[in-house]
Amino acid sequence: MQAINLIISLNPEVIDITKLSLQVSGTSVILAAIVGIPIGVLIGLNEFPFKRTLRNLINTLMGLPPVVLGLFVFLMISRAGPLGTFGILFTPTAMIVAQFLLVTPIIMGLSIAAASAVDRVVIDTAISLGARKLDTMRLVINEARPALITAVIAGFGRAIAEVGAVMIVGGDIRWNTRVLTTSIMLETRKGQYDLAIALGIVLLAMSFFINFLVSYLQGRRK
Amino acid sequence: MSLLSVRGVTRRIGRRAILNDVSLDVDRGEMIAVLGPSGSGKTTLLRVINMLDRPDAGTVLFRGQDIWAGNEEETRRSMVMMFQKPVPFSMSVYDNIAYGMKLRKMSKQEISAAVEEALKLLDMAGKESQYARSLSGGEAQRLAFARAYVLKPDLLLLDEPTANLDPANAGIMERVIRETSRRLGTTVILVTHDMYQARRLASRSAFMLDGELIEMKPTAELFSSPDDPRTARFIKGELIY
Ligand SMILES: Nc1ncnc2c1ncn2[C@@H]1O[C@H](COP(=O)(O)OP(=O)(O)O)[C@@H](O)[C@H]1O
Ligand SMILES: [Mg+2]
């Protein structure tokens, strides 16, 4: 099989594409986790007016079609757009921004659910033992850790597998902004099935590895 | 001056008063019991004292000062409540017991010494590194006590500490409650539905019903000569908890 050969021979283009995919999705997910987890936990722990509305909004954003988000980011950062002066259109930075916006609601929404699921008695016990707001939040993050890890992984799965947003704002430029999903699309359309299959195998292997990692991490917590 | 003075405290959920004009005083070093059927407001009373719930009317004075009038942090850290349902945090036994001490920025040596002392007191020596969620129900309850005990609070609020325990565990719990009170002079409010436990541990007992504190007297007197017919019915076992 030609496809297998491409992987085993460490074809430089396959490696480059894989690296960029990991960089873009990894960076956007880390940033999304830094923003999404604390805010999600804060929302989950507190009662305030319009909390339900906010949760509905976040849930809606969780299912946002990547192409629509890509279009929105494109309009913002294109030359004529309000953020056009940064000149990041068709760069990996633009792709990170788009995936960050795509993944943050997912991580946030799942973090809200994770924090809400923590037993109320745990929180009251901590407060009674002298915990302040920030201490309570830290404890809740610790209590909800398995669910939060799952949230981050789900976000990464979404980022690495989406094609619409990175295609629009990245432009699928060879050796520059081409990632696994966009090149699979391109190679398939060109009839280069071997390369497409090779890239597909890499993508699948990554998903498999991530799932394995999750179950390992969760299994380790006795 | 009493250590704690609850004055005319009312707490409502919607229109219903789950605490209705409750007043009581507790002296320093005293152990009192709060008795009453399920749903009478005992837990809510402890929560209001521990500042987890705010009263809608009335005041709680701690060392003569309104608990909600400044110094909330210090006041809250002078008392600890042990909840009826013991939930170990998902960390080791050691870290569970150390939790409140770490918040108070105590030194590592102090913490470690206190943890060891507490584990010994509760017959749990050697369990430091065990994952706390894997403890049995009785051990979890003892862990919850240890977590509060190491803070050496002025006021200890215990919500049905033996309700879910087998006799052996209940025996250990009663022993450590008594020792804490005697040796450290800790003031204790013990919520229980067990009249015999109140008799064994508390110098005075209060009886609550439907959010009201019906009466409070020396424990022996409450049982031998209750003032209120409702208390008498509870003692005769006619009011089911
Ligand atoms: N957060 C709450 N929301 C609604 N009802 C509550 C709440 N907390 C307590 N109650 C009600 O108040 C009454 C007193 O509760 P509680 O103080 O737990 O009683 P006890 O501890 O004596 O069993 C019960 O009827 C209970 O259902
Ligand atoms: Mg109760």
Side-chain angles (χ1 to χ4, degrees):
Chain A
M1 274 286 282
Q2 184 67 23
I4 306 290
N5 276 338
L6 283 168
I7 299 173
I8 308 176
S9 66
L10 301 176
N11 175 297
E13 184 158 17
V14 172
I15 302 231
D16 183 72
I17 289 170
T18 307
K19 256 171 67 184
L20 185 67
S21 267
L22 285 173
Q23 266 169 19
V24 167
S25 298
T27 310
S28 58
V29 167
I30 289 169
L31 295 176
I34 291 171
V35 173
I37 290 177
I39 297 181
V41 169
L42 213 58
I43 294 172
L45 283 185
N46 290 289
E47 295 306 321
F48 51 89
F50 303 112
K51 174 171 176 172
R52 243 198 145 98
T53 318
L54 183 65
R55 279 195 76 163
N56 285 335
L57 179 73
I58 292 170
N59 285 341
T60 310
L61 292 176
M62 282 174 80
L64 200 65
V67 265
V68 174
L69 184 96
L71 175 64
F72 169 76
V73 174
F74 178 89
L75 293 174
M76 298 300 283
I77 64 176
S78 66
R79 284 282 130 68
L83 304 174
T85 47
F86 292 106
I88 59 167
L89 187 60
F90 303 139
T91 65
T93 308
M95 297 155 76
I96 291 171
V97 170
Q99 291 201 338
F100 167 78
L101 293 176
L102 189 74
V103 169
T104 301
I106 295 173
I107 294 186
M108 201 182 284
L110 293 174
S111 299
I112 296 174
S116 311
V118 171
D119 194 336
R120 190 64 227 182
V121 183
V122 168
I123 295 161
D124 285 340
T125 301
I127 295 172
S128 187
L129 291 170
R132 304 188 184 104
K133 280 252 175 245
L134 208 63
D135 306 313
T136 311
M137 233 176 103
R138 278 180 48 193
L139 182 73
V140 167
I141 288 175
N142 182 57
E143 293 290 315
R145 197 155 58 193
L148 293 175
I149 292 174
T150 307
V152 173
I153 301 295
F156 186 76
R158 170 96 159 152
I160 199 94
E162 75 81 22
V163 54
V166 279
M167 181 72 108
I168 295 180
V169 305
D172 190 41
I173 302 164
R174 196 172 180 197
W175 299 109
N176 192 357
T177 59
R178 182 162 293 176
V179 290
L180 286 167
T181 51
T182 55
S183 42
I184 290 173
M185 260 183 75
L186 181 80
E187 299 306 331
T188 307
R189 283 164 70 184
K190 286 196 325 201
Q192 299 273 13
Y193 301 124
D194 285 326
L195 187 52
I197 293 171
L199 295 164
I201 291 173
V202 172
L203 194 53
L204 263 177
M206 258 154 50
S207 301
F208 183 79
F209 176 72
I210 289 160
N211 279 316
F212 176 80
L213 198 67
V214 178
S215 53
Y216 172 74
L217 286 175
Q218 297 191 341
R220 215 174 45 157
R221 286 180 60 76
K222 293 169 233 181
Chain B
M1 182 182 61
S2 318
L3 179 72
L4 180 81
S5 180
V6 176
R7 302 222 172 134
V9 160
T10 296
R11 179 164 162 87
R12 293 189 189 88
I13 300 280
R15 293 177 142 208
R16 185 169 152 233
I18 59 175
L19 278 186
N20 192 359
D21 196 17
V22 169
S23 297
L24 70 97
D25 281 271
V26 187
D27 286 330
R28 194 176 279 280
E30 194 181 17
M31 170 146 37
I32 68 148
V34 177
L35 293 154
S38 176
S40 55
K42 306 181 296 294
T43 298
T44 306
L45 176 63
L46 292 190
R47 291 180 60 90
V48 165
I49 293 169
N50 198 207
M51 306 170 77
L52 293 165
D53 290 337
R54 249 187 127 118
D56 294 292
T59 49
V60 179
L61 305 179
F62 185 71
R63 298 195 200 106
Q65 289 206 333
D66 186 341
I67 55 173
W68 287 106
N71 264 338
E72 281 96 353
E73 169 110 2
E74 198 199 316
T75 308
R76 180 174 280 142
R77 287 193 172 184
S78 305
M79 43 175 124
V80 186
M81 173 164 174
M82 181 172 120
F83 295 80
Q84 179 172 5
K85 177 178 161 197
V87 259
F89 301 145
S90 64
M91 42 181 93
S92 70
V93 167
Y94 186 100
D95 287 338
N96 264 273
I97 302 178
Y99 186 79
M101 294 189 283
K102 283 182 186 162
L103 293 177
R104 285 160 179 74
K105 304 260 184 318
M106 287 168 61
S107 75
K108 277 218 165 65
Q109 292 91 321
E110 273 180 295
I111 292 177
S112 140
V115 172
E116 295 316 316
E117 190 222 326
L119 284 173
K120 221 163 110 197
L121 178 70
L122 288 145
D123 284 343
M124 288 177 74
K127 297 210 182 265
E128 293 78 353
S129 54
Q130 190 173 338
Y131 180 56
R133 285 276 162 84
S134 67
L135 293 173
S136 71
E139 288 170 331
Q141 189 71 266
R142 284 186 268 155
L143 174 75
F145 187 89
R147 211 159 45 177
Y149 168 84
V150 290
L151 300 176
K152 306 279 183 310
D154 291 340
L155 178 61
L156 189 57
L157 306 164
L158 304 174
D159 196 359
E160 313 218 13
T162 60
N164 309 313
L165 298 182
D166 57 82
N169 272 301
I172 296 175
M173 189 61 74
E174 280 196 16
R175 173 181 55 95
V176 295
I177 293 170
R178 193 181 288 115
E179 280 179 26
T180 305
S181 159
R182 287 209 183 133
R183 291 218 302 247
L184 303 179
T186 309
T187 310
V188 181
I189 302 181
L190 169 74
V191 163
T192 178
H193 58 247
D194 180 349
M195 296 184 291
Y196 299 100
Q197 182 170 69
R199 225 178 246 184
R200 286 190 294 271
L201 295 175
S203 56
R204 291 190 302 147
S205 290
F207 172 64
M208 286 186 70
L209 187 65
D210 295 335
E212 283 179 50
L213 196 146
I214 306 296
E215 63 181 300
M216 179 158 176
K217 304 175 150 201
T219 306
E221 251 178 69
L222 186 84
F223 291 127
S224 61
S225 50
D227 291 331
D228 194 286
R230 288 168 294 183
T231 315
R233 285 182 57 205
F234 177 75
I235 291 162
K236 276 188 267 164
E238 289 169 20
L239 284 175
I240 310 298
Y241 62 78

